[in-house]
Amino acid sequence: MKVGIAYDLPRWEEKNIIQEAKNEGHQVIPFYSKQGIFYSDSNIDIEADLFIQRNVSHSRAVMTSFLIESQGIPIVNDYVTLIKSENKAFTTFILSRADIKTPRTAVSMEKDMALSSASTLGYPVVIKPIEGSWGRMIAKAQDEDSLRSFMEYQEFTSMYYRSIYYIQEFVKKPDRDIRIFAIGDDAPVGIYRVNPKNWRTNTALGAKAEPLAIDAELRELALKVKDKIGGFFLGIDVFEDKEKGYVIDEVNGVPEFKNTVRVTGFNVSKYLITKLMEWYKK
């Protein structure tokens, strides 16, 4: 099988996927997205049976998935899944409309309306950029004064959605959250991300990864999220709320998994390749 890897920055994950694909006897076709040119009247010369999307840049990931799909080559994840998963507003509203628990969220197009929504949600609130990762620019506003400041910071960024305000209730979770991976028809592995010093429990912000025993409820929830968001390989972030139980925070369409492999010993890349081959042969 010829397995294409679309990437823009070769991290540990991309190198590991390439190595495991080779170990399984597949031919790897690396595709460095920054040097790709797609013409509307012809196909790019890529001899791959399927692709794995690994671009760090969200815009490159969506665009290259779309363009590769337009040539009739399946890619994991597809561009629609990436749009749904990388846009936090899309993710939250798709899941909440499907009766999957998410933090109560308000999306507003104007500053005064955003302030009004925060009063309705009740302080403290969390303000997030519509798109982004690694916990960047996510802030907890204790009151209206601090929220005004955070909104002002957002307005003067170059973010595409800088004039749209995504504000959530603050979930009183333990000093950890859960990252669980949905791969094909399974949710085989996950971790706790623990940080007693920062309410944001991203490993990029210093949280420590610890092994997680996946219970039946969590596995079922992960697969339900995957069913609504789509895709084949997702990293799903889950809060543990004392009153609501498991609450879905975010969904990642191009998830990192280095720390998961390190603390669990689970070979995510090999499992992904195996599941992809099963799926492709069907």
Side-chain angles (χ1 to χ4, degrees):
M1 186 78 71
K2 296 178 180 178
V3 179
I5 310 290
Y7 72 98
D8 56 4
L9 178 67
R11 301 166 293 181
W12 182 90
E13 283 83 356
E14 287 69 49
K15 295 174 184 176
N16 189 247
I17 290 172
I18 289 171
Q19 187 58 55
E20 290 298 334
K22 290 179 178 177
N23 291 347
E24 294 299 307
H26 303 294
Q27 180 180 348
V28 175
I29 313 293
F31 179 73
Y32 184 48
S33 300
K34 291 182 179 180
Q35 293 185 340
I37 302 176
F38 293 80
Y39 293 98
S40 60
D41 58 353
S42 62
N43 287 338
I44 195 169
D45 185 18
I46 307 175
E47 293 186 1
D49 296 306
L50 58 83
F51 259 87
I52 300 174
Q53 176 58 258
R54 293 301 309 174
N55 275 281
V56 175
S57 161
H58 171 55
S59 57
R60 284 193 202 100
V62 171
M63 188 57 69
T64 53
S65 276
F66 171 76
L67 292 169
I68 289 170
E69 286 178 69
S70 73
Q71 293 195 188
I73 304 174
I75 183 165
V76 171
N77 289 313
D78 60 275
Y79 82 96
V80 173
T81 295
L82 294 176
I83 290 172
K84 291 179 181 176
S85 60
E86 299 302 324
N87 184 303
K88 294 180 178 63
F90 291 173
T91 301
T92 298
F93 280 75
I94 288 170
L95 296 182
S96 63
R97 299 297 190 242
D99 293 327
I100 295 174
K101 294 173 186 173
T102 61
R104 193 179 184 207
T105 303
V107 176
S108 308
M109 316 297 162
E110 196 271 336
K111 186 183 293 183
D112 288 339
M113 300 305 292
L115 291 169
S116 175
S117 73
S119 297
T120 300
L121 293 172
Y123 289 95
V125 295
V126 175
I127 179 170
K128 297 181 177 182
I130 295 285
E131 293 182 345
S133 56
W134 302 323
R136 290 178 300 193
M137 288 197 63
I138 295 176
K140 179 170 66 173
Q142 296 286 1
D143 51 35
E144 182 174 315
D145 187 50
S146 55
L147 181 59
R148 283 183 183 275
S149 298
F150 293 133
M151 288 195 294
E152 184 176 330
Y153 294 146
Q154 176 175 305
E155 290 164 6
F156 284 92
T157 67
S158 59
M159 293 188 303
Y160 183 74
Y161 290 107
R162 60 184 176 276
S163 61
I164 299 177
Y165 306 99
Y166 176 96
I167 298 175
Q168 287 185 326
E169 65 174 339
F170 179 73
V171 176
K172 296 177 182 176
K173 61 182 178 59
D175 57 5
R176 69 185 189 189
D177 71 0
I178 290 170
R179 162 66 61 87
I180 185 170
F181 293 87
I183 306 175
D185 59 357
D186 197 6
V189 68
I191 56 171
Y192 288 116
R193 304 186 299 182
V194 183
N195 194 340
K197 297 180 179 179
N198 191 336
W199 65 273
R200 295 175 298 170
T201 41
N202 307 75
T203 53
L205 297 176
K208 180 182 177 184
E210 296 182 358
L212 163 73
I214 300 173
D215 61 34
E217 181 184 357
L218 195 53
R219 182 180 183 278
E220 182 180 349
L221 177 60
L223 295 179
K224 189 175 180 181
V225 169
K226 179 180 165 297
D227 181 58
K228 297 302 176 184
I229 298 298
F232 194 92
F233 180 37
L234 301 175
I236 301 167
D237 297 343
V238 186
F239 289 160
E240 300 162 278
D241 185 291
K242 288 184 179 178
E243 297 179 356
K244 297 180 180 178
Y246 291 132
V247 175
I248 302 299
D249 179 36
E250 297 180 6
V251 179
N252 300 272
V254 186
E256 297 175 326
F257 52 86
K258 177 181 177 180
N259 288 318
T260 300
V261 174
R262 178 175 58 81
V263 301
T264 67
F266 186 85
N267 193 330
V268 173
S269 295
K270 182 178 181 179
Y271 196 83
L272 173 62
I273 296 293
T274 300
K275 282 292 185 181
L276 274 175
M277 294 308 113
E278 293 175 0
W279 169 71
Y280 184 79
K281 290 175 182 177
K282 290 180 180 178

